[in-house]
Amino acid sequence: MKLPPDARFATICIHAGQSPDPGTGAIITPIFQTSTYVQDELGKHKGYEYARTQNPTRAALEANIAAIEGGTAAYAFASGMAAIDAITTMLQAGDHVVVTDNTYGGTFRLFDKVLTKYQLEFSYVDTSQPALVEAAMRPTTKMLFVETPTNPVLRLTDIAQTAEIARRHHARLVVDNTFASPALQRPIELGADLVTHSTTKYLNGHSDSIGGIVIAKRQEDAEWLKFIQNAAGAILSPFDSWLVLRGTKTLTVRMAQHNTNGMALAQFLSTHPKVTHVIYPGLPSHPQHDLAKRQMRGFGGMVSFDVGSFEAARVVCNRVRLMALAESLGGVETLISHPASMTHASVPPERRQAIGLTDSLVRISAGIEDPADLIADLTQALA
């Protein structure tokens, strides 16, 4: 089994970074659940010394996702937040970062409550507006951290245009690609320097693993990430690496159904009398619908909608039967959540209001069930 150099995306997802086990012929990469490796003699080993530094299962996953995203190398971490934290170790005291204002609550918490203690500065702007990004840049700006689509108001940023701004200001562009997945969006092809994912979400796809990954375009960034992964030690375990490898094999087919279900739910909700507003990049009413058509290969499974009041949102979340009221996203089962009190509770209320994250907003991560069953569940919940 050998991956051809001109292999297409779905084939790369299944085969990149993996080959049958040479000892047994096992077609699936084994779980190398070991802490250390026996050396042949002093100074001579088989490429592995200690499992924090190297692990064959983790290495297979990292090679797989680097190929999927079109990067030079990838490094896997114990969570999505550990991956983002590793990226910020490229900064030094006094550096400035421009960040998407509607970024994930955990990212905001890390930046605002932890990293500001180390003399790093962060400016939060609507990165869907290039003029605002340009205006926020300073001589000390070393990084643009963009989330697109954003969580949970699904605002999009033009990656190619933002990459050009970053280049002119000698800053690195980092794209959190979790909500789209590489099946729908490939930021490195559009000019990003670094891409990060919570592998917990679409890459794993089965709600049974926590992890994160960073994909680097530049060799010097890859070398630093390798160093910090070993030095700080927030590594992804062999078992979680194996779980995510299982997930990427079905990424293409899963995302196709997520796209179908996301569109079906968005269209249903947009005609429902109790829904005041639907946010979905695939709807012509979305302010960046044209950008979504250019930049993405599908519109994804994330749908947000407003029902007018917190009480109405509470009722909908509590009344669903098939959908599960839970945080997270990207799994094969459909999840529903109330961002203001769940995923974004750490974001101050005034900031939530400024970015359109109202107390009446509900977020759905559409799974891969039959869409008719999901619509039926929403119908009875909204009734």
Side-chain angles (χ1 to χ4, degrees):
M1 294 172 61
K2 186 175 181 181
L3 187 66
D6 58 348
R8 287 141 177 99
F9 183 81
T11 306
I12 291 170
C13 287
I14 294 169
H15 294 289
Q18 302 159 86
S19 56
D21 178 62
T24 65
I27 198 167
I28 297 299
T29 301
I31 304 170
F32 287 89
Q33 195 69 44
T34 184
S35 61
T36 193
Y37 308 86
V38 174
Q39 303 191 18
D40 296 331
E41 58 185 71
L42 193 62
K44 182 180 178 182
H45 54 76
K46 297 178 174 64
Y48 298 93
E49 301 170 80
Y50 187 60
R52 170 168 41 79
T53 309
Q54 310 113 328
N55 178 276
T57 315
R58 191 174 80 229
L61 172 66
E62 291 169 340
N64 179 256
I65 296 182
I68 288 172
E69 278 285 13
T72 298
Y75 296 93
F77 295 87
S79 69
M81 291 312 307
I84 291 171
D85 187 57
I87 292 170
T88 63
T89 64
M90 296 179 178
L91 302 167
Q92 299 181 21
D95 287 349
H96 172 249
V97 184
V98 176
V99 187
T100 300
D101 56 356
N102 175 218
T103 195
Y104 168 55
T107 305
F108 174 78
R109 180 174 55 222
L110 174 68
F111 291 175
D112 189 64
K113 306 301 182 188
V114 179
L115 298 182
T116 52
K117 295 171 61 178
Y118 302 99
Q119 288 75 56
L120 295 176
E121 294 187 89
F122 300 87
S123 295
Y124 300 89
V125 301
D126 179 358
T127 54
S128 71
Q129 304 295 322
L132 296 180
V133 177
E134 185 72 56
M137 301 298 286
R138 305 176 188 172
T140 56
T141 304
K142 302 300 181 185
M143 188 175 287
L144 268 67
F145 189 96
V146 169
E147 190 177 309
T148 181
T150 62
N151 179 10
V153 301
L154 303 175
R155 194 181 295 153
L156 273 59
T157 294
D158 188 322
I159 297 171
Q161 196 167 5
T162 308
E164 175 58 30
I165 295 172
R167 276 193 298 272
R168 282 193 282 103
H169 290 273
H170 307 290
R172 278 168 169 72
L173 174 61
V174 181
V175 176
D176 186 334
N177 199 27
T178 299
F179 260 43
S181 90
L184 306 187
Q185 183 171 267
R186 306 248 300 197
I188 288 175
E189 292 179 355
L190 298 171
D193 298 294
L194 295 152
V195 178
T196 187
H197 291 267
S198 168
T199 60
T200 312
K201 314 306 193 298
Y202 286 113
L203 288 176
N204 177 59
H206 292 78
S207 302
D208 55 10
S209 170
I210 296 289
I213 199 155
V214 185
I215 304 95
K217 177 172 70 176
R218 305 185 193 191
Q219 185 60 42
E220 62 266 34
D221 292 346
E223 290 172 1
W224 175 258
L225 288 165
K226 181 179 181 180
F227 171 81
I228 202 68
Q229 183 191 53
N230 181 54
I235 56 168
L236 192 65
S237 75
F239 183 51
D240 285 298
S241 298
W242 185 86
L243 287 172
V244 181
L245 270 174
R246 174 207 56 184
T248 59
K249 290 181 184 297
T250 61
L251 178 64
T252 305
V253 292
R254 284 189 290 106
M255 291 309 301
Q257 192 62 42
H258 288 305
N259 288 337
T260 296
N261 287 2
M263 180 65 82
L265 292 179
Q267 290 175 336
F268 163 75
L269 289 164
S270 66
T271 63
H272 198 285
K274 290 188 178 180
V275 175
T276 62
H277 182 50
V278 179
I279 310 171
Y280 184 67
L283 294 178
S285 58
H286 191 282
Q288 287 100 38
H289 178 62
D290 289 339
L291 174 61
K293 289 192 291 184
R294 294 197 313 270
Q295 185 168 277
M296 301 173 70
R297 299 174 177 85
F299 305 114
M302 302 305 299
V303 183
S304 294
F305 62 102
D306 199 300
V307 287
S309 69
F310 168 73
E311 179 58 25
R314 186 189 66 81
V315 168
V316 171
C317 288
N318 288 346
R319 281 184 58 87
V320 290
R321 297 168 184 163
L322 177 61
M323 298 180 186
L325 177 60
E327 296 192 5
S328 199
L329 59 108
V332 294
E333 62 288 303
T334 297
L335 305 180
I336 192 168
S337 68
H338 181 250
S341 64
M342 295 172 73
T343 55
H344 288 66
S346 62
V347 178
E350 62 275 12
R351 182 176 289 276
R352 294 201 302 264
Q353 290 298 319
I355 61 178
L357 203 172
T358 63
D359 289 345
S360 50
L361 192 75
V362 177
R363 189 193 78 180
I364 291 177
S365 169
I368 63 172
E369 303 95 337
D370 190 297
D373 291 327
L374 298 175
I375 289 172
D377 193 28
L378 276 181
T379 299
Q380 65 82 24
L382 285 162

